[in-house]
Amino acid sequence: MSDWSKSTPPDLTAFEALALAARAALPVPYSEAAQAVVLRVEDFAPDRMLAEMGMENPFELTGLYEGIPLTEKSVMDQPFGPDTIWLFRRPILEEWAERGDVPLGDLVAHVLVHELAHHFGWSDADIARIDRWWE
């Protein structure tokens, strides 16, 4: 049995490094395009975001895409800020601990790909080609 008593979960910096590695590991056409999306890592979603989503429990939201999907953008759109993918460390860690059967980096990559799908307008089939999670 391993002694986990001196172990600590990755902090925000280490967690962001997992997310950046996941983005860099995407297949070439996707990894290059994904560089244009801002990546934010926080412990939990801000209260305003939870309220907008109609959520009370901050552990229910592991990630969120904020922006206008590329499939819906128009030259007439006024930018309100950069397209951003938010990853929430504590809910992802909670899911990882509950699952107990996947590496943390794989779960971070899965959440990232799911949020990128919102940005790029990917179908489930598109996601399955990129994210082997569903195999």
Side-chain angles (χ1 to χ4, degrees), residues 12 15-16 19 39-43 85-89:
L12 287 170
F15 205 87
E16 181 178 23
L39 187 58
R40 300 259 329 248
V41 177
E42 299 290 340
D43 275 324
I85 289 177
W86 296 76
L87 298 179
F88 304 114
R89 185 182 76 96

Side-chain angles (χ1 to χ4, degrees), residues 7 78 121:
S7 297
Q78 292 295 316

Side-chain angles (χ1 to χ4, degrees), residues 45-63:
D47 290 339
R48 70 146 178 97
M49 204 176 276
L50 291 171
E52 288 170 8
M53 301 286 297
M55 300 174 133
E56 292 182 17
N57 183 350
F59 280 97
E60 291 179 1
L61 190 59
T62 56

